[in-house]
Every structure is written in structure tokens, then in C-alpha cells.
Amino acid sequence: MARTWLSVTVELLGGRGEELWPWPGRIFAVGPSHTFKDLADAINDAFARWDRSHLSLFTLADGRVITDEETGAEMAGSIDGPIIAPIDIAAAKVIPTLEPGAEFQFTFDLGDAWTHRCVVGAVKVDPVEVLGVRPDVPLPYWGWGSIPDQYGRRWAADDGESRAPGKPGQPHPMLLHAWPGQDQVPGLDLSGLREAIAAADAPRFLAAVTGRNIDDVLQQVGAGIPMALEQRRQEAEPVALSVINRLTLRGGAGDRVLAEDLLAGLRGVPLTGRVVPVDLDMLSTVLEGDPDLSPGGYLDLRTGQVYDEAATDPMMAGEDAAIDVEEDPERWLRFNRAGSRAGWQDMAAFAERQQDEALRERLERVSEGKGAFWRFRDVVLGEELSEQWYAFSTDRQMGRARDFLADNGIRVG
């Protein structure tokens, strides 16, 4: 028989609050017809699980989860990881879903959290060659570790004489609830998201956020939720709930206001305050501009348009183009520019979140003193972090603009 089956190494990292070392493991042969439910049952067989009245859950490297339909639907609106489309454990087949070299996680019993690291072998196998038979279900053909192990192997390369490898200084990220990491989950295409919102294209919007890391762009994602609920309510509701939960957990400027507005949309109740179709991106840009260039501007409460103060001066804007705020004072909201203080805080927050210590210290260093914004921009550009910085800072600016409006009794419609 041709080598058409996957070889999947499964190692038990720990459970019930205990980390195991060395990790006991089994290597399974998995065939083209086998589902993830078949693989879960095979793992539980191999690791001597006799009480099966608990959930089985697979987590892929891009954040998707594979479990029973009811549990998957609940997790689609959770606050951890990316927005997910639930995958049915009983229907999804292993081979079309995973490629050689893929790493994924298997958890049995969400209470005791028996956590397994699973890795697909780089080379496919012939089941007759490794097992001697072509089984109807996934079957282990090699193993180690005290489950107990058939041959007393303590780790994968144990030859019976060597000493056990040294235990890592830190637990595996899966045991620290830090897997998959943010760098493993695909980022969101911000331009595609904005285009979908501008075009009022709900299917494209939902596709843009599904399976993506959205936690730095919640204000921008939230702007498209009302449109998606109006067009595709059933598909959009889990997304809306997840965004509301994430906003509540993040708790940044404007997050509480947006969460309240999205919840009102889910419940079908009117927004509190005066609803104005404000372009938050434009408002935030003018709000946080340089006060030396202009002291402030005006918001048209009828149209949502934002104007720099220069637009009121016929000498600057032209006789025909200048706006007359005194003709209808109730139509206009005056605002002063906030300056650069919030921008400094954004740079500090972005630097603090960097995992690379050297990069973090460098960003912190260039953020000090005169010319900090230009130096910071150069480092971000050189480290290819421009897109991340733009998404991060824009979201915070929009949140502050949303808070400013709410303080003045205005909600974005």
C-alpha cells in the first residue's frame, strides 16, 4: 500500500494541575477516512482513559477549535483567541485538515485539562508497514513513557542507558494558556476590513474577521458589526458577542461605550444619546493634531463631517467654502485639539507589549525627548512593525474619539 496515512506523535504534557516530565507519548497511524472523533477516541484509548464522560477538544495553530457542535457554538463567542467558525469533531476528517509538520493541541476533560502536544510527521506512512494491518481507526504503532509504557521508554529517543534530558526552565506554553501565541494566529487585513465596511458587504466583513487576531482593532471591527447584524444576523451574532466580551475585557478608551452600543444593537433597542454618523478616523486625526497648527475644529451634528477651525475663516477656506457656525449654533460641536500626550502613551504601550527584550528597550529609549515620534516611527519601520503600529495606534485614537463624543451625549451611528 502507498504511504498515504499520516504519522501523528502525541505527547501528554500534563493534567489536573501537574506537569509531566519526561512527556509520555504515542505515535499514531491515521488514515484518510478517520475523523477527529476517531483520533480523540484512539488517544484516549492509548492513554488509558476509562471514564469518557468528558469533552474532547482539538485546537489548531491558527486558533480554530474542533469539538462537538454544541460546545463549538458556545466557544465561537468566547473572548480568548480569534473569532472561530466551529468545526464538528464527528464530521471533520484529519487528513484534509492537517498537513505534514502541523502542530496542534488535544485536550481531554476541560476540568482536569489533560493537555497533549500533537505533531504530524513530515513523512506519510504505510499502515501495513508500521502496524502490519490496515485498521479501521487510528492506531498507535510506537510509544514511550510511564502510562505505563510497554517497553519502559521514558522519552522518544530513550536507549535504556542515557540520562533523561534536563527539564526546561519554563512549562510549555500550552500549560500556561499561552498557546497558540499571537504571532501564530493570522493577522487581520485592515484595508480589506475597511473596504468591506465601506461597501456594506456583510459576507466579506465576516470572512475578514473569522480566524483572525482582532484584539488590537476592536474599535475598527466594532464599526462593522451593526451592518453585519442587519444583513446576516444569525452569522453575525456570535461575532458581535465575542467583540463585546473582548471590549469589556480590554477596557480601553471608548471600549465600554462601543460594547454598550453593540449590545443595544443585539437587543434591538435604540442607542442612548444623539446618534450622529461620525467618521471616527477623521475626528481622531483632528482631535489629536498639533495645537500649534490649529487650536481645534467643529463637528457637524447633522452630517457627521469634521472641520478644522480654518474652515470657518473665509480668508483660509474661501468665501463660498467657509462654514458659518454662528448661523446655526446648535448644529455644531466645538472641540479643542488634545495634543500629543495620548500619542506618547500609545508608544509606551506598544513598546511594553513587545516580547523581544532588546526591541522593547530600544522602543522605550527612542520614545523619550524631543523628536520621539520621528525616531519611534523609524524604528517601527525598520523592524517591519508599521502595520501593527498603525492598527494599534489607530484603534486607541478611535476609542478616545468615541469617548469624547459620549461625554458630549453623542453616539456614533
Side-chain angles (χ1 to χ4, degrees):
M1 180 176 292
R3 292 173 174 263
T4 58
W5 286 41
L6 294 181
S7 172
V8 180
T9 299
V10 179
E11 295 175 294
L12 178 59
L13 307 183
R16 299 186 65 184
E18 179 183 1
E19 180 186 3
L20 300 179
W21 186 259
W23 300 326
R26 296 291 184 265
I27 303 179
F28 294 79
V30 183
S33 66
H34 298 156
T35 66
F36 279 90
K37 177 65 165 58
D38 294 330
L39 179 57
D41 290 341
I43 294 173
N44 289 328
D45 283 339
F47 286 85
R49 310 268 161 64
W50 54 270
D51 179 6
R52 302 296 180 84
S53 59
H54 300 284
L55 291 173
S56 290
L57 172 73
F58 290 94
T59 305
L60 305 185
D62 61 5
R64 289 180 295 165
V65 297
I66 302 174
T67 185
D68 63 271
E69 288 186 314
E70 181 179 354
T71 304
E74 293 176 359
M75 296 186 71
S78 71
I79 61 175
D80 293 322
I83 298 290
I84 59 171
I87 299 176
D88 183 6
I89 193 172
K93 294 184 178 180
V94 177
I95 286 183
T97 306
L98 299 173
E99 296 181 352
E103 182 178 18
F104 59 107
Q105 176 178 324
F106 173 67
T107 305
F108 173 74
D109 184 353
L110 302 189
D112 287 343
W114 290 104
T115 304
H116 310 70
R117 175 178 179 260
C118 310
V119 180
V120 180
V123 179
K124 291 187 177 182
V125 298
D126 177 349
V128 175
E129 180 180 317
V130 296
L131 288 166
V133 295
R134 186 177 184 272
D136 294 329
V137 295
L139 201 65
Y141 64 88
W142 194 253
W144 56 91
S146 54
I147 301 178
D149 175 67
Q150 181 178 0
Y151 298 105
R153 294 184 182 87
R154 296 165 293 166
W155 66 95
D158 187 5
D159 58 8
E161 298 178 358
S162 302
R163 299 176 63 178
K167 183 178 179 180
Q170 295 292 329
H172 193 280
M174 289 183 181
L175 291 172
L176 299 175
H177 305 288
W179 192 96
Q182 282 194 342
D183 57 341
Q184 293 176 269
V185 178
L188 183 141
D189 178 2
L190 192 55
S191 62
L193 175 77
R194 292 189 167 197
E195 289 171 3
I197 294 174
D201 188 338
R204 185 178 176 187
F205 168 80
L206 293 171
V209 301
T210 300
R212 302 289 172 169
N213 184 352
I214 66 168
D215 290 330
D216 281 348
V217 290
L218 294 176
Q219 288 284 332
Q220 295 158 89
V221 170
I225 294 294
M227 173 270 296
L229 285 172
E230 183 178 351
Q231 296 183 23
R232 298 288 186 95
R233 188 171 186 89
Q234 185 173 359
E235 298 171 51
E237 278 187 352
V239 179
L241 286 170
S242 183
V243 171
I244 290 170
N245 287 333
R246 293 163 190 262
L247 287 164
T248 303
L249 180 67
R250 189 173 76 169
D255 288 349
R256 177 188 59 81
V257 176
L258 178 55
E260 290 175 356
D261 290 355
L262 295 181
L263 188 58
L266 275 176
R267 293 173 173 171
V269 299
L271 299 180
T272 59
R274 182 173 182 174
V275 180
V276 179
V278 183
D279 183 338
L280 276 182
D281 203 0
M282 176 63 72
L283 177 60
S284 64
T285 300
V286 180
L287 267 176
E288 301 191 10
D290 188 348
D292 292 336
L293 299 178
S294 171
Y298 291 88
L299 171 65
D300 187 338
L301 298 178
R302 185 181 303 169
T303 66
Q305 289 283 74
V306 179
Y307 296 89
D308 186 88
E309 188 168 281
T312 64
D313 185 350
M315 296 292 292
M316 299 288 291
E319 290 288 347
D320 296 332
I323 59 174
D324 185 355
V325 297
E326 295 181 0
E327 182 179 356
D328 186 3
E330 297 299 318
R331 177 177 173 175
W332 304 95
L333 174 64
R334 175 75 169 84
F335 58 84
N336 296 319
R337 291 199 171 196
S340 60
R341 180 179 180 182
W344 285 81
Q345 294 171 344
D346 291 346
M347 290 192 298
F350 188 77
E352 185 179 357
R353 70 204 301 273
Q354 302 305 314
Q355 296 183 353
D356 185 289
E357 183 177 355
L359 174 59
R360 182 172 63 251
E361 292 177 353
R362 187 181 176 197
L363 287 171
E364 290 172 347
R365 187 167 58 252
V366 299
S367 299
E368 300 175 356
K370 188 176 180 180
F373 288 97
W374 297 103
R375 293 194 300 272
F376 187 89
R377 184 202 62 179
D378 289 343
V379 174
V380 165
L381 183 63
E383 296 292 336
E384 298 183 350
L385 296 172
S386 295
E387 290 185 9
Q388 292 182 32
W389 164 244
Y390 174 76
F392 178 81
S393 59
T394 298
D395 214 64
R396 289 167 68 95
Q397 290 170 13
M398 291 176 65
R400 291 191 288 268
R402 193 182 295 275
D403 258 353
F404 165 77
L405 294 173
D407 290 342
N408 286 277
I410 299 169
R411 297 288 175 143
V412 180

